[in-house]
Amino acid sequence: MAKAITAFARKHGGADGQVAYIGERGARIVLVGADGNWGDLVAPTHAIATSAVERSEITVHEDFDGEFAAKVKTGPYEWTRMAGIQVGGPAND
């Protein structure tokens, strides 16, 4: 996982991340590149996720707060997928 995080950071001019516990499934690592592109990984445990972000040497945030979230660049896909469906936009089938 650390290699994937490091590769993402290199491709996007650096990266910040946040680890969130998602229950029995483990932990989600959200990555936001310096260019605004984002992605995520799911680790089987919170410990594995934490170790991976530490080894990749990215900046890690405790929360996905407003300042961190503002770094995310969104496009039409995200708007229709996350909000468009609820407000009458086109569905992504």
Side-chain angles (χ1 to χ4, degrees):
M1 294 196 104
K3 287 181 182 179
I5 295 167
T6 301
F8 178 90
R10 277 194 203 120
K11 182 177 181 179
H12 297 286
D16 290 11
Q18 192 258 338
V19 177
Y21 177 69
I22 56 173
E24 290 181 18
R25 294 185 181 208
R28 179 178 184 210
I29 305 166
V30 178
L31 301 169
V32 180
D35 60 3
N37 285 294
W38 64 280
D40 64 351
L41 300 165
V42 175
T45 69
H46 195 275
I48 290 171
T50 301
S51 175
V53 295
E54 287 173 356
R55 290 184 15 232
S56 67
E57 299 181 356
I58 63 169
T59 300
V60 181
H61 298 259
E62 290 294 317
D63 298 304
F64 200 83
D65 61 13
E67 185 177 325
F68 182 36
K71 294 180 178 187
V72 176
K73 179 174 68 178
T74 57
Y77 172 81
E78 288 83 7
W79 281 103
T80 58
R81 188 74 187 134
M82 292 188 287
I85 295 169
Q86 289 81 10
V87 295
N92 288 338
D93 297 311

